[in-house]
Amino acid sequence: MKKETLAIRNQTERTQYLEHSTPLFLTSSFVFEDTEDMRASFAEEKDRNIYSRFSNPNVSEFIEKMVLLENAEDGVGFATGMAAVYNTLVTFLNSGDHIVSASSVFGSTHTLFTKYLPKWNIETTYFNISEPESIEAKIQSNTKILFVETPTNPGVEIIDLDFLGDLAKKHNLLLIVDNTLATPIIQNPIDFGAHLVIHSATKLIDGQGRALGGVTVGSKELIREIYLFSRNTGPSLAPFNAWIFSKSLETLSIRVEKHSENALKVAQFLESHPAVSNVKYPFLPSHPQYQIAKKQMKLGGNIIAFELNGGKDAGKKFIDSIKLFSISANLGDTRTIVTHPATSTHSKLNTTELAEANLTEGLIRISVGLEHIDDIITELNTSFL
């Protein structure tokens, strides 16, 4: 079956009420028939729900859909996207280990790498995502993980996943890809050699700014280790949020297609506007990694990074002139959102770190929504005046 069908028709087994849509299972725990049933369940001789910190029907349905969409074998749900990032990394790291990561990562991921993991003697070496040829020289004998976002947030940079897959295989590294901005509709990193794929479900997967959540998918062997770690540390995905995400996956394909259609038109408009000095969008031929994007992505996604003539001051004036769009740190919403990363999502980075991540203080990130394209472009044009 096609992915669009899998996302719609894959549901939990119907209860005795024969409901058409999966019900909510808002329960902290589950009961047992007798002591033997309880013993066998805790011994994992039975595949069943015990406690919602371990598993829950709503969470399991969401995970199974994501596994199918990402061509994975298994997955784990989390309370937030950052919980997915943290637990996925820490499961496989010990004191003294080393990470090689693109410098262009989400602000909280950067903080994790630079402020918290060093407390346990885990160091990270960054590479410029525009210079993939520099990666191999940064791999050390204690390197365990190769981490990347593609497209990056917020700079919308692309890296060749085939290249990373081959590199990880050569050096026996875990290749972990944050696929949030692309979603499984646009690309599947596992097909290119990634071992684990992370999503912030808060973004396009939800798509309407309602719920927090995350998910990691990959091989059964690796997911088993993450599951055991996370069920004991407790960053569990709430059943209600999982129910929202599972229902949202039913429309993910058509939403992403429309988001991408709108975004390409917006990117083309921005590139031709005299007030704009620079635009980055994966499916613009002017994008530095355009050929790579066309090779591994089915669509360009909904995120555009651009800068106005006049830099930071012009960007601030533009954002303050916005009337229709939302000024928010979120992305992937039905509503178009504008963000100034240097003073929000990436405000913890200093000037040097911003430069290393290929981010300028005047960069604006726009998450193109599902409003009518004429209204989106009219709002942009008005705000540039």
Side-chain angles (χ1 to χ4, degrees):
M1 286 191 289
K2 301 294 185 182
K3 288 185 176 182
E4 294 88 343
T5 306
L6 291 171
I8 293 171
R9 285 293 171 182
N10 192 74
Q11 294 188 176
T12 58
E13 185 177 348
R14 289 191 176 104
T15 71
Q16 69 270 31
Y17 297 108
L18 300 179
E19 65 281 344
H20 186 229
S21 182
T22 301
L24 280 162
F25 291 89
L26 299 182
T27 179
S28 60
S29 55
F30 302 84
V31 298
F32 305 93
E33 296 177 2
D34 50 36
T35 55
E36 174 55 25
D37 182 32
M38 179 178 276
R39 183 208 63 78
S41 299
F42 273 87
E44 298 187 45
E45 295 170 9
K46 290 185 174 183
D47 184 14
R48 55 110 77 213
N49 294 296
I50 296 174
Y51 190 59
S52 283
R53 175 160 54 86
F54 298 1
S55 65
N56 174 280
N58 295 125
V59 176
S60 296
E61 180 182 287
F62 168 59
I63 290 170
E64 187 171 345
K65 287 185 178 184
M66 288 300 300
V67 166
L68 292 169
L69 292 175
E70 279 287 13
N71 301 328
E73 294 177 355
D74 204 353
V76 184
F78 296 95
T80 66
M82 280 310 303
V85 172
Y86 173 77
N87 282 267
T88 299
L89 290 169
V90 174
T91 294
F92 300 103
L93 292 168
N94 295 307
S95 180
D97 285 346
H98 178 248
I99 301 167
V100 173
S101 169
S103 55
S104 305
V105 292
F106 180 55
S108 293
T109 304
H110 171 78
T111 300
L112 179 62
F113 285 153
T114 58
K115 182 176 181 179
Y116 294 108
L117 291 184
K119 292 169 63 175
W120 299 295
N121 193 29
I122 298 169
E123 301 296 332
T124 300
T125 299
Y126 282 136
F127 64 87
N128 190 317
I129 200 164
S130 300
E131 301 171 357
E133 69 279 0
S134 70
I135 300 174
E136 191 162 23
K138 300 180 186 295
I139 297 172
Q140 305 172 8
S141 60
N142 61 336
T143 304
K144 294 295 189 296
I145 287 172
L146 179 57
F147 184 90
V148 69
E149 299 173 10
T150 183
T152 61
N153 178 17
V156 202
E157 297 162 297
I158 310 293
I159 193 165
D160 192 326
L161 289 170
D162 265 331
F163 171 77
L164 292 182
D166 291 342
L167 196 61
K169 184 176 181 180
K170 178 181 178 180
H171 293 277
N172 194 30
L173 305 177
L174 270 182
L175 174 56
I176 302 176
V177 177
D178 187 326
N179 200 32
T180 297
L181 265 60
T183 80
I185 302 303
I186 290 178
Q187 71 183 12
N188 299 121
I190 288 172
D191 293 349
F192 298 93
H195 300 97
L196 293 164
V197 175
I198 296 173
H199 287 274
S200 171
T202 311
K203 309 303 190 294
L204 280 159
I205 288 172
D206 174 20
Q208 297 181 58
R210 298 167 297 184
L212 295 173
V215 62
T216 299
V217 299
S219 69
K220 284 187 177 294
E221 180 183 6
L222 295 174
I223 292 299
R224 172 68 177 169
E225 294 302 312
I226 301 171
Y227 167 74
L228 291 174
F229 181 83
S230 63
R231 93 173 197 176
N232 285 291
T233 53
S236 312
L237 176 59
F240 180 72
N241 290 13
W243 179 82
I244 287 176
F245 298 146
S246 188
K247 299 303 293 180
S248 292
L249 286 178
E250 296 183 12
T251 61
L252 181 63
S253 178
I254 57 174
R255 286 189 288 108
V256 167
E257 289 171 9
K258 186 60 179 178
H259 275 297
S260 299
E261 177 188 324
N262 278 357
L264 179 57
K265 291 177 181 177
V266 169
Q268 291 167 337
F269 163 78
L270 291 172
E271 192 170 46
S272 66
H273 199 285
V276 179
S277 61
N278 181 51
V279 182
K280 273 191 179 178
Y281 181 71
F283 272 28
L284 279 182
S286 59
H287 192 288
Q289 295 95 34
Y290 172 72
Q291 293 300 331
I292 296 171
K294 294 290 285 188
K295 180 186 75 169
Q296 66 193 29
M297 299 172 67
K298 298 180 181 70
L299 299 163
N302 80 315
I303 304 299
I304 302 168
F306 70 97
E307 190 163 3
L308 298 175
N309 296 317
K312 183 179 179 180
D313 291 340
K316 182 177 183 297
K317 182 179 178 182
F318 161 74
I319 291 176
D320 288 344
S321 299
I322 289 294
K323 298 292 189 295
L324 177 66
F325 305 155
S326 304
I327 302 172
S328 173
N330 197 26
L331 60 87
D333 202 296
T334 55
R335 293 156 290 192
T336 297
I337 295 171
V338 292
T339 306
H340 181 236
T343 56
S344 58
T345 58
H346 290 68
S347 59
K348 298 297 187 293
L349 277 67
N350 58 39
T351 303
T352 301
E353 290 169 336
L354 284 171
E356 289 174 349
N358 300 328
L359 301 179
T360 65
E361 291 189 343
L363 183 101
I364 296 168
R365 185 189 73 193
I366 180 167
S367 171
V368 181
L370 300 180
E371 302 96 341
H372 194 283
I373 187 61
D374 291 350
D375 293 323
I376 296 175
I377 290 179
T378 297
E379 175 72 1
L380 286 169
N381 214 18
T382 302
S383 300
F384 288 151
L385 299 178

